[in-house]
Amino acid sequence: MTDAPTRPIPQAVSAPRRLHALPARWRITAWIILSTVFTLTAVGVLGRSLLLAGVEQGANSGIEQEAAEFTHFVEDGGATGEEAGRDASGPAAFSSPEGVLQSYIDMQSVHAGEVILGVVDGTVVASGGEVSGLADSTFSLADQRGLVHRMLSERRVSGVEAETDAGPMRWGRVDFELDEESGSLLVARFTEQDRALVDESVARIAWVALVGVLLSSGVAWLVAGQILAPVREVTRVARGIGEHDLTARVPVEGNDDVAAMAATFNQMLDRLEEVYATQQRFVDDAGHELRTPITVVRGHLELLSDDPEERRATLRLVSDELARMSRIVTDLLVLARAQQPDFVTTSPCDTATLTLDIEAKAQALGDRRWQLMEVAEGIVVLDPQRITQAVLQLAANAVQVTDTGDRIRIGSRFEGGGESRRLRIWVQDSGPGVAAADAERIFERFVRGGAADGSRGDTAGPAPRRGSGLGLAIVRAITDGHGGSAWLDSVPGEGATFGVEVPAPEDPPEAAAPERADAEGTSVATGNGGTGTGTGEHTGSAGTAGATGTATDSAADALIERKA
């Protein structure tokens, strides 16, 4: 029998704890207070330990000093005790240990907390100094026979008694002999009073530290408020940002981390404002431009009759308006995408090949006399597809403002040199030109220029133009993406020249440009900045080509060879 598979028991997922429940200002203040208290406590404990160690060390030093003085006293007496003429008050005047001990103790000025006993045969024969007991009573070490006996019976000559009626005691013993009699000097130091003084000092320091902690708490609260002021400002600005107002910014002061955070937040708002403006502009433009064709379509459909001829005319008009709507939407999407970083994708491009390709594609735009006037030769880093799109848009505009058989010129050239060199590609028509009032804003959205005389200009031609007014705005978006510009040179009544200009830094002279091949396989080596001049003329849009004029360099030769 097989066991049925067991299903794993789901584990209960505990809700994550709410970390940092306290406001940041309280947390910062609390951490500062805790660190201050910890530091002061550590310093207090360490300082008390050092002071107590100093008390013990002082007691030991006092006992050692007393023992050294007594030893020297005995040795001097033993060496000169029998000599005549010695002062009767010296140790030689005594013939017994009792006299030596009594004489020495009488000579000493005993310190506070110090007791000296002279002992002979276990009996205290002399004593000096006294100490207070723990119960505020006088403590007599001479009366502590058991304690004295232990001090005398120890093999060690020094020791510590942790518990006595007068507190901790450190003691030392000096044994001596005189005339075959022995005696001992006991020196005891009681450290309770000194330890009490240390504790009292530490307590005073603790009260001062407590006041310091309170003061530091107030300072920490103020400092935390100053540190978090930009954060509160960010919060205030974020709360104040509405759907239609993204202009508020956080003041940036200083160059610390908080200032960097405020600057980063402002940069984020800049990006959001730009995205919102782009979106709003797209919505406004779409609503503005699509409203008219939608109204036209709806009006004609509402009045659609049963007559076949009228129906065909209405459907043709509706189809035309729908096509215009599609073109408007496409142009708006291109302009919206122009704000994205991948709108322009650059790569090394041969400018001569680019110019020839643009001229060839422009011939299909209308039955005009297309002339290629000059060709720039060199390698430039740009987006050939976007540049082609921009120049063809200029060529399409030129077709709309000229008549059949009119001349339209196209050319490219380099201007400047070195790092400041720029590539210009231009289209020149023979139309009525652009009015001076429209020239300044011709590259804006939904601007359709007029001629200087008020007749027809950018929006009028032999066939009235019904464009969206977005073509030149797309041209400017493409040049902006390259870090360049779109330009216009117009003489009223003599036509207009539209062009694009993009950066084209000159390569080092020793850098060789790659070879390029034309459609027939002819390989032409290009230089680093030459400009081919000549005239290549094409009449019509069906493909009939003719070459006129002379060429002065390889680009013009390639053009004539291609068109022949």
Side-chain angles (χ1 to χ4, degrees):
M1 182 177 65
T2 59
D3 296 332
T6 59
R7 296 178 60 185
I9 300 175
Q11 300 292 331
V13 179
S14 60
R17 291 189 309 166
R18 293 186 59 191
L19 299 178
H20 308 307
L22 290 174
R25 189 172 187 179
W26 282 104
R27 293 201 305 271
I28 294 175
T29 304
W31 278 112
I32 293 177
I33 293 175
L34 288 177
S35 60
T36 303
V37 170
F38 177 81
T39 302
L40 292 177
T41 302
V43 171
V45 171
L46 180 61
R48 180 177 182 275
S49 300
L50 294 176
L51 291 175
L52 292 178
V55 169
E56 304 298 332
Q57 183 65 32
N60 290 338
S61 299
I63 294 173
E64 291 176 356
Q65 180 182 359
E66 201 70 48
E69 291 178 356
F70 180 73
T71 301
H72 184 69
F73 179 82
V74 172
E75 289 177 352
D76 287 347
T80 60
E82 300 299 332
E83 294 180 0
R86 174 57 64 95
D87 186 1
S89 63
F94 304 98
S95 59
S96 65
E98 291 87 347
V100 173
L101 293 171
Q102 187 65 52
S103 176
Y104 176 78
I105 292 175
D106 291 341
M107 293 171 55
Q108 297 302 309
S109 176
V110 182
H111 297 85
E114 182 181 42
V115 175
I116 303 176
L117 299 179
V119 182
V120 177
D121 295 333
T123 303
V124 177
V125 297
S127 64
E130 61 180 17
V131 64
S132 299
L134 297 178
D136 294 334
S137 60
T138 303
F139 176 79
S140 176
L141 180 60
D143 296 338
Q144 305 294 321
R145 297 184 179 275
L147 180 57
V148 173
H149 178 72
R150 286 199 305 271
M151 296 167 62
L152 293 173
S153 59
E154 286 280 352
R155 292 185 178 180
R156 299 175 301 167
V157 295
S158 63
V160 178
E161 290 291 336
E163 296 182 0
T164 68
D165 293 340
M169 181 190 72
R170 291 181 173 269
W171 59 271
R173 186 182 75 238
V174 180
D175 299 326
F176 70 99
E177 292 184 358
L178 182 63
D179 296 337
E180 297 182 355
E181 291 184 276
S182 62
S184 299
L185 180 72
L186 297 179
V187 181
R189 280 290 185 100
F190 293 87
T191 60
E192 181 63 27
Q193 292 182 353
D194 294 337
R195 294 172 69 91
L197 290 176
V198 170
D199 291 338
E200 183 179 353
S201 300
V202 171
R204 292 175 181 173
I205 294 175
W207 281 107
V208 174
L210 178 60
V211 175
V213 168
L214 295 178
L215 293 177
S216 64
S217 300
V219 173
W221 177 262
L222 296 177
V223 171
Q226 292 295 324
I227 294 175
L228 296 175
V231 179
R232 293 196 300 272
E233 188 66 19
V234 169
T235 303
R236 184 191 64 79
V237 172
R239 289 176 178 172
I241 292 175
E243 181 181 356
H244 303 290
D245 184 14
L246 294 174
T247 59
R249 294 295 182 270
V250 179
V252 179
E253 299 179 357
N255 55 358
D256 55 1
D257 295 338
V258 178
M261 180 196 67
T264 303
F265 184 80
N266 288 340
Q267 293 172 3
M268 180 193 68
L269 290 180
D270 293 338
R271 293 191 295 269
L272 289 176
E273 185 178 13
E274 182 179 357
V275 171
Y276 177 78
T278 302
Q279 180 187 23
Q280 191 65 35
R281 191 162 54 243
F282 177 83
V283 173
D284 295 342
D285 294 347
H288 177 271
E289 288 300 311
L290 295 178
R291 186 180 299 112
T292 300
I294 290 176
T295 302
V296 172
V297 170
R298 183 173 59 185
H300 282 83
L301 290 179
E302 289 176 352
L303 300 176
L304 185 64
S305 66
D306 295 332
D307 183 66
E309 290 296 331
E310 291 186 4
R311 291 176 65 89
R312 280 194 296 271
T314 299
L315 292 177
R316 184 168 55 252
L317 186 146
V318 168
S319 178
D320 182 61
E321 288 299 315
L322 292 177
R324 190 161 73 92
M325 289 173 58
S326 177
R327 184 169 63 253
I328 292 173
V329 172
T330 301
D331 291 345
L332 287 174
L333 290 175
V334 171
L335 288 175
R337 190 168 177 264
Q339 306 297 326
Q340 300 179 3
D342 60 344
F343 176 66
V344 171
T345 304
T346 60
S347 61
C349 177
D350 183 3
T351 58
T353 301
L354 176 64
T355 306
L356 295 175
D357 289 344
I358 291 174
E359 188 269 341
K361 294 175 182 178
Q363 294 173 9
L365 297 177
D367 187 8
R368 304 292 186 271
R369 295 172 58 194
W370 298 92
Q371 291 184 347
L372 184 61
M373 304 304 297
E374 55 184 350
V375 179
E377 294 187 0
I379 303 299
V380 178
V381 177
L382 48 77
D383 188 336
Q385 295 182 358
R386 291 298 183 189
I387 294 297
T388 300
Q389 178 185 2
V391 179
L392 289 180
Q393 179 64 54
L394 300 179
N397 290 354
V399 169
Q400 293 179 359
V401 298
T402 55
D403 298 320
T404 300
D406 285 351
R407 180 175 298 173
I408 299 178
R409 297 179 175 88
I410 298 178
S412 63
R413 64 176 177 270
F414 288 110
E415 291 190 354
E419 292 295 325
S420 61
R421 190 181 70 165
R422 305 180 76 82
L423 171 65
R424 280 195 166 198
I425 305 178
W426 51 269
V427 176
Q428 184 181 48
D429 62 61
S430 56
V434 179
D438 296 331
E440 297 180 358
R441 56 189 187 92
I442 194 69
F443 290 99
E444 298 179 5
R445 299 185 181 194
F446 305 113
V447 174
R448 300 176 178 90
D453 58 2
S455 58
R456 62 182 177 88
D458 187 56
T459 61
R465 182 181 176 187
R466 301 180 63 196
S468 62
L470 297 173
L472 294 180
I474 293 176
V475 173
R476 187 177 67 174
I478 292 174
T479 56
D480 289 345
H482 284 81
S485 61
W487 54 273
L488 164 65
D489 185 10
S490 177
V491 178
E494 298 182 9
T497 302
F498 287 84
V500 297
E501 182 178 281
V502 296
E506 191 171 9
D507 294 335
E510 64 273 8
E515 292 188 350
R516 58 182 177 85
D518 60 10
E520 290 78 18
T522 304
S523 177
V524 181
T526 61
N528 272 331
T531 301
T533 61
T535 303
E537 182 173 329
H538 180 92
T539 303
S541 58
T544 304
T548 64
T550 60
T552 59
D553 62 6
S554 59
D557 293 339
L559 171 64
I560 294 174
E561 180 181 356
R562 173 180 175 181
K563 295 187 177 298

